[in-house]
Amino acid sequence: LAALEPQLQRGLPIIGLEPAALLMLRDEYRQLQLGPLAELARKRALLLEEFLAHEQQAGRLALRFAPQARRLLVHGHCHQKASGAMKSLRRLLKLIPDLDFQFIEASCCGMAGTFGLEAEHVALSHQMAAQALLPALALEPEAELLCNGMACRHQIQVLTGRQPRHLVSLLLAALEPDAVPI
């Protein structure tokens, strides 16, 4: 909080790419009751997709995307799902012409941060992924995958050999070559 204080006092938002890291400012910091600065950080903490969708909707940003005739499966990070942050992701993906995307109806990928890396939890972690996530991925082996959570991307890569993309790389690849957001 001390490192963020100067930016918070200037009224700047805190924009994050990793759901677990950013959303802890909105949830865990509030629960810990760390005072007014933590409350200010909570109010200004946004995932990149939330920030971009808000700015686009407010007319302060004009993103132009080239058509992307492809199938995309989206696995949401647990923190994104729990905090309602998937709505902004859906709004952004709808801006990309011809992108055929579907959100995977699955709970946790099983990683739960480093939980799935610990030797005593690996089997349970894999069982969690096998409940809904892995079957959904198996149904569409040619679809591209989007997943913002680092642990989720790791789990999917280890269990399927497929490499999910982060939203940032998808947006960058889809931007019109001459598009300059205003």
Side-chain angles (χ1 to χ4, degrees), residues 36 44 82 119 165:
R44 299 242 176 90
R165 299 173 81 172

Side-chain angles (χ1 to χ4, degrees), residues 56-154:
Q56 180 86 11
Q57 193 171 14
R60 291 187 291 265
L61 183 64
L63 296 171
R64 290 193 340 259
F65 296 105
Q68 302 291 308
R70 63 175 108 178
R71 178 71 170 155
L72 180 73
L73 296 178
V74 181
H75 175 66
H77 188 282
C78 291
H79 280 82
Q80 281 177 292
K81 293 173 188 175
S83 69
M86 297 298 288
K87 295 173 196 164
S88 296
L89 182 56
R90 184 181 307 275
R91 273 193 264 150
L92 269 184
L93 293 176
K94 284 183 178 181
L95 296 176
I96 303 174
D98 300 329
L99 182 64
D100 177 21
F101 69 90
Q102 177 182 340
F103 283 41
I104 297 170
E105 294 297 326
S107 61
C108 182
C109 70
M111 282 297 282
T114 60
F115 174 85
L117 295 175
E118 298 165 357
E120 64 270 25
H121 301 132
V122 170
L124 180 58
S125 171
H126 292 184
Q127 289 172 7
M128 290 173 71
Q131 288 181 355
L133 176 59
L134 296 179
L137 297 177
L139 288 175
E140 298 197 48
E142 301 302 317
E144 290 186 41
L145 307 176
L146 178 75
C147 183
N148 286 345
M150 181 175 60
C152 303
R153 287 194 309 274
H154 175 80

